[in-house]
Structure formats: C-alpha cells, structure tokens
Amino acid sequence: MIKEFIQGLSITAKHLLPGHTTTVEYPKQKLEIAERFRGLHRLVPDHDREKCVACGLCPTVCPAKCITVEAGEDENGVKYPKVYQIDMLRCIFCGYCVEACPVEAIEMTGEYELASYKREDFCFTKERLLK
Amino acid sequence: MSNKSENAMVNLTIDGQDVQIEAGATIIVAAEKLGIKIPTMCYLKKVSTTGACRVCLVDVEGVDTPVTACNTVATDGIVVTTSTPELEKQRKDMIRLMLVNHPLDCPVCDAAGECDLQDICFDYHVLDQPFTAEDVAVAKITDWPLIENVPSRCVLCEKCVKVGYELTGIGDFRVVERGDKAYIGRKDSNQIDPYIEGNAVAVCPVGAMISKPFKHSARSWTLDKVASIGFAGGSLEQVDLNVKNNKLYRITSQDDVTINDGLLSFDSSFGYGFVNSTERLLAPMVNQGAVEWSEALKTVVAKAKELGGEAIAGLSSARLTVEENYLFQKLFRAGFKSNNLDSEARFGMQRSSEQLSKVLGLRGASAGIEQIAAADAVLVFGSDITSEQPQINYQIQKACRQNDAQLLVVNMRQVRIAEQSNCFLNYVPGSEAALAGALTKLIVENGQAADAFLKKYVKNTADIKKSLAKVNVEKVAKAAGVSVELLKEVAVALGEASSVALVFGGDVTKSAQCVETTQALANLAMVSGALGGDAGGLFPADEKPNMQGLLDVGVCPESLPGYQDYAKGSAKFAQAWGVAALPEGGMNAEQVLAAIEAGTIKFLYLAGTNPLVTFPESGRWKAALKKVEFLVVQDILSSELTELADVVLPAAAYSEKSGTYISCDNRSGLLQKAICPAGEAQSDKQIFAQLLEGMLGKSQSLCNQTILEELAGLTDLFTEVGVSGETYLSSCVKQGYAPAAAALTFSACAAATPTKGLQLISGKMHAHTGVTSTYAAGALEIAPEGYIEISVADADKAGIADGAQVSVKSAVGSASGVARISGYVPQGILFAPYHFAGLNIQQVVPTGQNTVAVEISKG
C-alpha cells in the first residue's frame, strides 16, 4: 500500500517541480489565441475609408443591441457610416455582426484586453474600430 | 370604366375553386377574391393595368400560351391554373431578366426590406443569373427636387407615371427613351411652384424613386408605424407615422383603408420636417428666460387674475384638436372670464360657414368627399384645390377619369387644376359672386334647374325668378372678363349633369366678397341639384386640418360649442362648467386688434397661431403685439412672435399628441401620439387644463373621450362618441346633413364689383401650409422664400426682370420680395404666397380680404 502511496505522491511532486505548472501567469504570460477567437471588432478599411456601407444589418442582427449606425452620403453620392459605434459593455461577442455583413466590412480580432477605468472608454467609435 | 355599368357577373374557376366576379374584372381580381396570391411586380390596384412585368403569368384552359393575370379580363367559364412547374419556371426567368442589370446594391438601397423585387427573389429562390445583357442604364438622376431617381434599379412598372397621371392628375413623370434604354424622366413643369409626386416613392416597387429627405436616414424594418391622420388639408388622410428612437422619420399611408387609398398630400410626403426642427421650443420661458413649467403657468394665472377678463383676449388655431380648442374656449370663458376669443377662421371659413348655415342649414360640406368622385360635373370655384386640399383633388381626378365627369374651373389665376379643365373661367377679382349668379341664371333659363328639389326644399321659390331677373349675363361676363360663350358652356355642363359637385376654397372664403359669393354658390348648389342625391354636393375646402372642428367648438365670441348662440346658451354652459356665469359681450379678432391699439386689451394669448405672418394687416398686428402689456405665446417653433412674448409655452407638435380632427366633410379622425414631445414641451391640451385648474381650482380631465363626451353632452354635434376603426381611427360621429323640406333660402344675387388696376392676391402655395412648413426642409427645397408672381405683360410694363427685387405697396402697407415672371397669373394680377415671414405679404392685405390694389416698383 505504501508503494502506491509513494507512487501517487511522486506524481504530485513532479508537478511541483519548475516547468510543470498548468497555471498561465497572465499578464506576464499570454496564451496564443485560436484563429477564430472572437475579440474586439475591427472595421475593415478600403483605401482611404471604411469598407462599411452603413446597410444597418449588424445593428439589426445584434442580440445585445450594442451597435449604432447612422448613415450618411459623401460628396460622390456614396453611402457611408457617419456614425459607427459599438458599446463594448453590452457586446456579447457572438460574432453575428460579422456573419451578417454583406460586404465583409467588419471582423473580430484577437484583442481581448478591453478593461478600462472609465465607462466612456467602452464606447468604440468608428475611428477606434478602424485602427 | 363607368360606375354605371350593369353589374353582370361572370363565373370562373381558379385552381379548382369557383368564383364569381363582376364582368370586366381581371383574373388577378378574381384570384384575390379567393385569397390566391398571384405574384406580380407592376400591378397596382388603384391604377390601370400595365402588363409590363410578365410575372403574373397564368394558364387558361384552351389557350396555348400563358396569359398575364393582371390585364386579362375574366370571361365566363374559363378555368385558370396559377401554378404549374412550367409556369413557375417562366416566372423565375422573368425575374432573372428583371435582374439582368439590376445592381445588387440592397445594402445601400432605401427600398431594401420593403422591396417587391427582393421579396419575389426570396420567394422564388432566384439565386443564379444565366442571362447577360449590355448595361445601358442612365446614371442616377440627383438634380430633381426631393426625389432621386436611380434608373438602373427601375423595373419600368410605370406605377409612378400612372399615379401622377391617373390619381393625382398633376404628377409629371413619364417614360423616356425606348426598349432597354427606357427610364423614368420628368417633364419640365411649373418652375415657380414645382410639384413633386411624393406618391411615386410610395408606389415604386423597387428603390428607383427615393425620397431625398428620408434617404439613408433609417432602414425600413427598424421603423415603428403608428396609425394617425395627416396634418394638412381638411380631408384627414390616413397616415402611418414612421418613428424610431423618438424621432419622426417619414410618413406613409396604406391602400384600401379610407378615402385617400394610400395617397398622400405633398405635406405628408415631404413637409413633415418641422417636427424635428432645431427651432423647436423646448422649455417654457418667462421674459425670455427658461423657467420651470409651474412658474410659467403661475405667471400666466397671476397676470390673468390681476388684469381680469375684460383685459384678456385669445386667439386659437385650426391646427389644434377639437379637444384642445374646446378646452381653450372653456379656459377663456370659465377660467379667465373673458369672451374675447377668436381664431384665424375669422378672416376665412368662419364667414362662409355662417352663410351656409343661414341659407342652407349646412355646416361644412353637404356630403362626404367621396361623393365628388361620383359626380357628373365638378365645379371648382375660387380654389387652388391641388394645393389646398389634395384629397379633394384626388376625388375630382376620380370623377374625371372613372366617371368621365366635366371639370369646370373658375379662378383668378391659372391654378394647376385649370390645365385639366373642360372649361376655365379666368375672372377678374370682385366678380366672383356675380359670376356664380350668372351661372345660376343660365341654368334656370336653359330649363335645367333641379325644379323638383327647389320646389320641395326651398322656402322662397318665388324669389328665384325675381332675383335672377336682375342678373344681366352679358354685363357680368364683361365685368368678370370672361366670354359669354364660355360662361354659357359652363352653365350647360352644370345643367346637363345629373349630379354636380361644387368645390370652393380660400379665394372665396378669404375674399372681400365672401358673404355674397358663398350665398351665390349656395344658390347655384340648389339650382343645380348638388345638395340632393348620393353623388355630388357642396364642398367648402380649407387648408387647415381641423378648420371644421375649430368652428364646431365655438372659438369665437358670438357662439358657444355646437353653434349655440352665446347669450342664449351661456347659462347652460356656466352651470355645466361649475361657474356662476359666463362673461358678457366679447370681441372678435378685428375688435381685439383695435382694443389692443386702444390699450383696453392688455393680455393676449396666442395658441398655435401667428398673426405676424398669417393675419391680414400683419404689420398692424406686429405693432399691436409689441404694445400689448402681456403676451403669452403657445407654439411649437420659435419665431419673431416668440421673441415678442412675455411668456412662451412650448407645445407638442402634431405627432406628439393625440386628439380629434374634424374634416371639411364632417368625418372625425383621431390623431395618435407617436413620439414624446420635444424637450419639456407639453400638449396644448395639458397646458390649457393646467391653466384651467389654476384659475378655477378644479381638476380638468385630459382624457380625449371624457372631453368629447362633455362636449357631446352640451351640444348636438355628435351622434356617437367612441373610438372605432383600426388603421384609420375615428373618435366620434357627427350628425349628417339632410336638408329639411322648405328650409333653404334662395338669396338675392350680388352685382359684380370688378376691381381696377393691378391686384395682388395672397394665398397658399402647394408646398407650404401655414407657417410651420417654413421650418420643414422638404417644403423649403421647393420654395425657400416668398416671391411675387407677375405676368409677362406686367413685368415688361414695369421693367421688372425675373428674380429682381420688387416692392408692392397698398393702402395698408408694403412688402418687398423677389419677382417671378409667370404664365400662371393673367395681366393685372400678382400672386404671393402668405407663408413666409421674410416676405410677409399679409402686411399689404387689408383685413377681410385676400386681394388688394397695389403698386409695384423695383427695389
């Protein structure tokens, strides 16, 4: 019986040895995220402007109702989002906006470090989303 | 298509089901009766069929090739199949062909979500495109006012063209080019007051016709639709207020609900922008400083108590609801102890209404406006009806197109509807009453008078001959500047018609000869038999939505609600309202103005009305309002008027409140609250109720139903009070009109008093209504500022170029603005729209008139 006991403890001890811990020591250490991870949104640029045409499908499909789009028209008669805003406090990162987009103008990045001290910081405007 | 055709029926079978329809109806109508939906792109029930899209193909037994269901008349015994694999394939190909060069730009197209092509592609799983064709579509047309046309999206269903030609009669879209190059273009039309067919946007099955004010502002599926009624024209069209996030985005309408059948007036299509104006009053103000509501109301109550009823006067508006106007007069009579109350109706419809009541016992129109559509002849007398009441125009168009009615137009100017008339009498101002008298005489002389009607209903039949004997047709024609032949032609057309609809408007009700002309038109109505039967009638038209309701509730010193004599009825009302007695006497608007000038009226309350722009002699009003000790202005928009005010009470706009409007033909419609009032604004009803509480110390109900019931209990206006209907809500039912035997009076005929020299007419232009529309971007796109229309001859004589700055001067004042040379006014006539504070043409116009002799000069 003792033998089995020692055998068991040795496994435990092995795990205590350096290099064997399963804990990821965030933020010193960060995991590599999966390719299809759904983090912060990004508006895809197209030349000098955003690809988005302000069709309004993403706010329509959004279950958390966190997207605000206001359409405008530029001097060439092209429809564009005058306002494009995501309230990250309400977003549930479901990715439906990406799925709904008919022009592939929005995608989700691996960015997940979104904590902030101020409420206003969670409101991601078009300019921030284009970065 | 005549409504007199026999109602023969045919039997047919569709998809194994038997159905019976009227002879002449098409297969698609029969299918609809069975609840079978045949897909279509170009079919619109309210216009003639086009048969352009070929999507509605059906098989008929014994016919080799499929036929179009929309324009194939059903014959007896045919057996129709609406769906077979082969038909579905052909339909799908038709849709593919429509899509050949259709840009797949649904994400940026406003029609997405309510696009018939989108829906049909979804229903038929159209996912591929085997066809190709060269794309020859012309570029987007963006230089039209208010509508943008995207020819590449167009499927050439021609609905926009047909709505303009067949329903409103004044639309100017047409198909230009042919074959694959065909697209919708616009005819050159009136450059001064261009008409834009807003209904084209509504009927467009795709996104080819786009409303510029609405463009890109919201996706159709995100809008909530609140059923309500239109805010302009006294016909109460059914509308859906499209709202989102407490903002009004656009106004639409539904087919088959009520008389307007989905057709909107220009105002509803494009002129609603004032609701969202940045000029809205958002907070109450005392001495131009923002205060709490309680303080503003306290200030008003304190001042009213200090000055006493004798020194208080108030003017209300036909823009306010029945309930609000009822509370307004209650506030004045019971609260402020003042009977000095009146409205803009004093200078117009009130005078006409009094006369009609006196001679015909009639208030408002004699029948529903749908009876115009059934008439054999329509006489439009002194009214720019397409501007004043577009819904009456739609009924006239129906009469002309479906009933082949004669259209006779009598006007001082070449108004829009004159272009379509069979006869147009272009008269000289001052001859209108005599002209109506001459027509009456000619009808009687021709032996075409409605003798049976006259004998039964008119009490002084003997006077008819006597008074007509004094009329000299030749003299009248000469004075009026019309040819005798034309006059006779009009008389014959009226006499021959089995039913006559008589429409008159602002050029009669606002004129100096209002009383005489109204009486003469009443005579004409009696003689031509317009008052009896189930077609035609007498229709006074007014541009304000609740003009009839305003008159009904007695916002005038001489009568109480329900047209009860003030002196006689005041005891009854005092008891009902729980006050000792109602004040004696009372001043009308004219007298109020004089009293302000004399200093006896010290407190003036203006509810939704702007005398600085809309009242005749507005310059005199301006001086008076500056002088008045205490001015309370209750309005929705800031203006020069609110700057003069001691207390400003911000009111809710029409989409922000509920209440009843009563149309010119005595139908009621319920205004629905679709959004919350802007800022701290409150509905006029709330404001009056709170002031009433402040004055009397008793609480006043805000419930529309309760207020209407109180009104109904004190008057015999209504037969029923209660909300009914779903999409078009009505809150009460008014007494109908039926002349009693030997109750009508034939009045004496007035002589012509034609004016001499250059005459200026002030009136309504189609894009604007009242003053509020001058805060709506859509209406401003058509006319950003006032102008003075002048004939080529007069302009040449005075050496005035188009667009030059001119001033006009009359005995009461002068105004200056831009001259527009126009073919729509005859020599000797100038026309200026009254809506604009900048031009302020009403300064020139004397009280009780709409025409005035002027001198015009450059600069």
Side-chain angles (χ1 to χ4, degrees):
Chain A
M1 192 195 98
I2 284 285
K3 192 179 158 202
E4 282 82 10
F5 191 68
I6 289 168
Q7 239 171 13
L9 271 180
S10 73
I11 291 170
T12 309
K14 242 189 250 167
H15 278 284
L16 288 172
L17 286 172
H20 282 267
T21 172
T22 53
T23 307
V24 178
E25 294 196 4
Y26 180 83
K28 278 184 230 151
Q29 191 193 357
K30 286 173 189 172
L31 281 178
E32 197 172 302
I33 52 157
E35 202 183 318
R36 291 170 65 187
F37 181 83
R38 299 195 298 269
L40 178 68
H41 311 69
R42 172 172 173 267
L43 282 176
V44 183
D46 180 20
H47 301 295
D48 53 340
R49 49 158 286 193
E50 63 287 325
K51 217 171 171 182
C52 171
V53 294
C55 72
L57 286 185
C58 48
T60 303
V61 78
C62 179
K65 298 274 162 268
C66 67
I67 309 178
T68 312
V69 183
E70 269 174 43
E73 198 178 42
D74 68 11
E75 59 281 7
N76 303 321
V78 176
K79 194 179 172 192
Y80 77 103
K82 217 162 41 184
V83 174
Y84 193 104
Q85 214 166 277
I86 302 181
D87 182 356
M88 236 26 104
L89 285 174
R90 301 193 69 166
C91 180
I92 58 166
F93 299 93
C94 65
Y96 281 8
C97 47
V98 181
E99 263 184 63
C101 185
V103 293
E104 296 179 339
I106 189 166
E107 56 188 29
M108 287 179 118
T109 63
E111 177 65 47
Y112 55 84
E113 291 174 312
L114 302 169
S116 181
Y117 289 102
K118 277 188 285 182
R119 212 161 247 283
E120 301 82 71
D121 287 346
F122 291 96
C123 174
F124 281 72
T125 58
K126 187 170 88 174
E127 288 67 35
R128 286 176 77 188
L129 291 165
L130 271 167
K131 273 181 198 156
Chain B
M1 213 161 80
S2 168
N3 64 347
K4 283 169 205 147
S5 66
E6 293 158 44
N7 293 336
M9 304 297 274
V10 293
N11 294 293
L12 66 156
T13 311
I14 302 177
D15 291 348
Q17 297 180 65
D18 293 333
V19 62
Q20 194 180 48
I21 52 157
E22 270 177 41
T26 54
I27 297 176
I28 205 163
V29 176
E32 197 185 291
K33 201 172 170 188
L34 283 174
I36 296 169
K37 193 175 168 265
I38 299 175
T40 169
M41 287 293 293
C42 71
Y43 175 70
L44 183 65
K45 202 169 151 192
K46 56 190 173 190
V47 297
S48 64
T49 55
T50 309
C53 74
R54 322 303 289 179
V55 175
C56 64
L57 294 173
V58 291
D59 276 336
V60 176
E61 223 173 77
V63 180
D64 293 343
T65 51
V67 298
T68 45
C70 70
N71 62 355
T72 304
V73 174
T75 47
D76 206 36
I78 58 170
V79 178
V80 179
T81 313
T82 65
S83 179
T84 65
E86 181 54 29
L87 275 178
E88 298 292 310
K89 190 184 162 293
Q90 287 187 15
R91 269 183 204 152
K92 209 167 163 174
D93 277 346
M94 285 302 159
I95 300 164
R96 285 183 179 125
L97 285 168
M98 259 186 271
L99 282 170
V100 155
N101 284 319
H102 188 98
L104 297 179
D105 62 352
C106 308
V108 297
C109 176
D110 268 348
E114 49 186 13
C115 171
D116 290 355
L117 191 58
Q118 234 180 13
D119 291 347
I120 210 165
C121 286
F122 187 81
D123 289 345
Y124 279 77
H125 304 288
V126 180
L127 302 168
D128 55 342
Q129 179 56 278
F131 306 107
T132 51
E134 190 195 347
D135 191 356
V136 289
V138 295
K140 189 152 82 172
I141 301 168
T142 53
D143 56 353
W144 296 349
L146 298 169
I147 287 185
E148 184 176 292
N149 181 12
V150 190
S152 59
R153 291 180 190 149
C154 181
V155 294
L156 287 173
C157 66
E158 293 179 29
K159 285 179 191 172
C160 53
V161 177
K162 290 195 167 177
V163 159
Y165 274 104
E166 295 176 13
L167 301 181
T168 68
I170 50 178
D172 49 7
F173 293 124
R174 58 176 180 171
V175 181
V176 288
E177 285 282 3
R178 282 167 202 276
D180 55 353
K181 290 197 187 78
Y183 66 98
I184 304 297
R186 237 182 111 227
K187 257 190 321 203
D188 285 329
S189 64
N190 187 336
Q191 295 295 313
I192 297 164
D193 186 13
Y195 177 78
I196 304 295
E197 186 56 79
N199 293 303
V201 178
V203 297
C204 184
V206 290
M209 292 283 171
I210 296 289
S211 157
K212 282 188 183 173
F214 175 70
K215 189 167 81 168
H216 300 338
S217 62
R219 301 320 309 260
S220 61
W221 60 85
T222 61
L223 296 168
D224 289 324
K225 292 188 175 183
V226 181
S228 188
I229 47 177
F231 63 87
S235 314
L236 309 189
E237 58 206 28
Q238 185 275 334
V239 301
D240 286 324
L241 303 173
N242 288 228
V243 297
K244 186 177 88 168
N245 296 339
N246 210 37
K247 189 179 161 192
L248 178 66
Y249 278 87
R250 64 170 179 181
I251 296 177
T252 54
S253 183
Q254 293 175 38
D255 290 7
D256 291 328
V257 175
T258 177
I259 48 141
N260 67 313
D261 197 12
L263 288 178
L264 287 177
S265 60
F266 174 88
D267 312 275
S268 295
S269 297
F270 299 116
Y272 51 82
F274 63 88
V275 173
N276 306 320
S277 168
T278 50
E279 302 281 305
R280 283 291 301 273
L281 296 167
L282 300 175
M285 289 194 284
V286 172
N287 298 324
Q288 300 298 317
V291 293
E292 293 290 312
W293 264 108
S294 55
E295 198 191 322
L297 296 170
K298 223 186 284 166
T299 312
V300 176
V301 169
K303 198 74 186 177
K305 283 183 175 161
E306 178 200 320
L307 291 172
E310 297 278 285
I312 302 176
L315 300 168
S316 185
S317 157
R319 218 176 59 207
L320 269 50
T321 65
V322 170
E323 293 85 351
E324 286 162 354
N325 272 316
Y326 174 74
L327 288 188
F328 176 82
Q329 58 88 33
K330 187 175 173 182
L331 167 67
F332 265 77
R333 287 164 174 156
F336 292 157
K337 302 263 174 285
S338 161
N339 191 33
N340 309 323
L341 74 169
D342 211 345
S343 70
E344 63 209 304
R346 172 69 45 194
F347 310 109
M349 197 49 94
Q350 170 117 21
R351 296 182 293 167
S352 248
S353 175
E354 283 307 316
Q355 289 313 311
L356 289 181
S357 166
K358 216 164 93 187
V359 296
L360 302 177
L362 174 65
R363 295 287 182 179
S366 69
I369 63 167
E370 69 281 357
Q371 284 208 18
I372 299 174
D376 277 341
V378 183
L379 176 70
V380 182
F381 200 107
S383 170
D384 183 4
I385 197 70
T386 54
S387 306
E388 278 180 315
Q389 242 174 287
Q391 296 301 343
I392 287 189
N393 170 45
Y394 301 160
Q395 298 301 321
I396 295 173
Q397 300 296 335
K398 252 192 197 171
C400 295
R401 271 156 227 279
Q402 296 181 6
N403 203 20
D404 208 13
Q406 292 278 309
L407 176 59
L408 314 157
V409 176
V410 185
N411 208 298
M412 294 178 279
R413 297 181 289 138
Q414 171 110 22
V415 288
R416 237 180 205 103
I417 201 156
E419 287 166 24
Q420 301 163 27
S421 60
N422 298 80
C423 288
F424 172 47
L425 297 178
N426 193 196
Y427 66 85
V428 172
S431 58
E432 45 270 66
L435 211 50
L439 286 173
T440 313
K441 174 163 182 164
L442 286 169
I443 293 173
V444 173
E445 266 182 3
N446 293 345
Q448 289 168 324
D451 291 324
F453 179 86
L454 293 173
K455 209 168 160 194
K456 184 168 175 200
Y457 294 107
V458 177
K459 63 176 169 220
N460 54 343
T461 31
D463 293 348
I464 299 178
K465 268 211 171 124
K466 234 191 304 171
S467 57
L468 287 178
K470 290 179 196 147
V471 177
N472 183 331
V473 176
E474 280 74 23
K475 251 189 183 169
V476 171
K478 195 166 172 242
V482 299
S483 78
V484 180
E485 289 71 43
L486 211 55
L487 197 60
K488 282 184 177 163
E489 214 176 297
V490 173
V492 168
L494 287 173
E496 280 178 354
S498 60
S499 53
V500 172
L502 252 164
V503 180
F504 67 95
D507 286 343
V508 171
T509 59
K510 294 192 172 96
S511 72
Q513 281 203 336
C514 171
V515 170
E516 296 83 358
T517 316
T518 308
Q519 284 180 351
L521 286 170
N523 288 350
L524 187 56
M526 286 184 262
V527 166
S528 59
L531 297 173
D534 51 8
L538 181 61
F539 304 89
D542 195 274
E543 62 166 305
K544 293 288 163 65
N546 193 31
M547 184 50 85
Q548 193 54 44
L550 172 78
L551 297 173
D552 283 349
V553 298
V555 181
C556 59
E558 53 268 49
S559 63
L560 284 156
Y563 307 101
Q564 297 172 63
D565 182 72
Y566 184 75
K568 281 186 202 150
S570 59
K572 177 173 107 180
F573 279 83
Q575 197 192 358
W577 291 339
V579 291
L582 296 192
E584 279 174 21
M587 287 186 260
N588 64 27
E590 275 175 64
Q591 292 159 337
V592 165
L593 176 59
I596 296 171
E597 286 167 341
T600 48
I601 292 288
K602 298 190 173 89
F603 177 128
L604 184 66
Y605 195 123
L606 300 174
T609 189
N610 187 348
L612 298 187
V613 182
T614 59
F615 282 23
E617 284 188 67
S618 56
R620 206 177 135 202
W621 276 98
K622 191 169 176 176
L625 296 191
K626 278 184 182 157
K627 191 184 170 194
V628 76
E629 187 184 321
F630 192 72
L631 177 65
V632 182
V633 174
Q634 178 175 320
D635 213 330
I636 61 170
L637 295 153
S638 66
S639 62
E640 196 186 349
L641 183 65
T642 54
E643 279 164 26
L644 289 177
D646 295 283
V647 176
V648 175
L649 305 173
Y654 112 104
S655 54
E656 301 166 348
K657 62 182 183 184
S658 70
T660 306
Y661 278 169
I662 290 176
S663 68
C664 70
D665 57 345
N666 292 313
R667 278 173 300 120
S668 83
L670 191 60
L671 207 60
Q672 296 273 64
K673 181 177 171 177
I675 51 177
C676 294
E680 290 170 42
Q682 291 189 1
S683 75
D684 300 274
K685 191 171 62 182
Q686 267 173 299
I687 301 169
F688 295 144
Q690 288 172 77
L691 286 173
L692 200 54
E693 281 167 27
M695 293 305 293
L696 292 181
K698 277 187 289 199
S699 81
Q700 167 63 47
S701 168
L702 284 173
C703 169
N704 289 330
Q705 174 101 359
T706 314
I707 298 170
L708 279 184
E709 273 164 6
E710 183 180 319
L711 175 59
L714 289 162
T715 64
D716 55 3
L717 284 171
F718 307 122
T719 52
E720 205 182 306
V721 173
V723 178
S724 63
E726 276 176 23
T727 327
Y728 178 86
L729 284 91
S730 157
S731 54
C732 54
V733 181
K734 275 190 75 179
Q735 297 274 17
Y737 172 71
L744 313 186
T745 319
F746 192 91
S747 340
C749 297
T753 49
T755 50
K756 292 209 174 64
L758 198 57
Q759 294 287 314
L760 176 109
I761 308 171
S762 82
K764 180 186 185 315
M765 66 174 292
H766 101 272
H768 285 278
T769 172
V771 182
T772 46
S773 64
T774 59
Y775 293 79
L780 288 174
E781 202 175 323
I782 297 292
E785 55 171 12
Y787 54 83
I788 297 164
E789 248 179 279
I790 181 168
S791 69
V792 182
D794 287 327
D796 284 349
K797 209 161 99 189
I800 293 162
D802 190 42
Q805 195 72 21
V806 292
S807 53
V808 284
K809 192 168 173 289
S810 77
V812 298
S814 63
S816 61
V818 174
R820 299 298 306 268
I821 296 177
S822 142
Y824 301 99
V825 286
Q827 188 176 1
I829 298 282
L830 305 174
F831 172 79
Y834 76 90
H835 317 278
F836 304 93
L839 174 64
N840 205 339
I841 201 68
Q842 294 289 74
Q843 297 175 93
V844 183
V845 181
T847 302
Q849 300 185 15
N850 68 334
T851 59
V852 60
V854 291
E855 283 165 22
I856 189 162
S857 58
K858 279 190 266 186

